[in-house]
Amino acid sequence: MDQRGTVEPVLLDKDVFGDSTVMMLNTPGHTPGHHVLLVKLPRTGNVLLSGDLAHFRENYNNNVVTGFNSSRAETLASFDRVKQIAANLKATFIIQHDPRDVDKLPAFPASAN
């Protein structure tokens, strides 16, 4: 059995399961192929998981781009995109590097709802 698996480059947005419950949203800037994850949960609602888009709430809220990102302009455009999507979908945005945000997530198994 081949243990290497298959790698699929994702250049734009991707509907992971084909039913819009889990969407990879293209948000370059941290790195060229960076994505955030939009998860649509039946009871919890829409949740956006940041990946490396922003490291702290202050960075995201104030459009502060860290010096090690690959593109300041793309990061700022990605901030704008995610903020608009979050507002349109009334989504909870979780910055995965910020413990204050991670603590907002319900523990499993409640997080699956």
Side-chain angles (χ1 to χ4, degrees), residues 19-72:
D19 63 0
S20 76
T21 58
V22 178
M23 299 288 298
M24 294 173 62
L25 303 177
N26 186 39
T27 54
H30 174 68
T31 55
H34 185 270
H35 285 73
V36 301
L37 201 63
L38 171 61
V39 182
K40 297 179 180 182
L41 299 171
R43 284 183 263 179
T44 304
N46 298 313
V47 178
L48 279 162
L49 302 173
S50 68
D52 285 327
L53 179 63
H55 289 86
F56 298 101
R57 178 63 54 182
E58 293 79 10
N59 296 80
Y60 179 72
N61 290 344
N62 299 306
N63 292 330
V64 175
V65 179
T66 57
F68 50 80
N69 281 23
S70 65
S71 169
R72 176 177 170 70

Side-chain angles (χ1 to χ4, degrees), residues 2 5 15 25-27 29 33 48 85 96-97 104:
D2 184 355
D15 184 342
L25 303 177
N26 186 39
T27 54
L48 279 162
I85 290 169
Q96 291 169 264
H97 288 287
K104 296 176 190 175

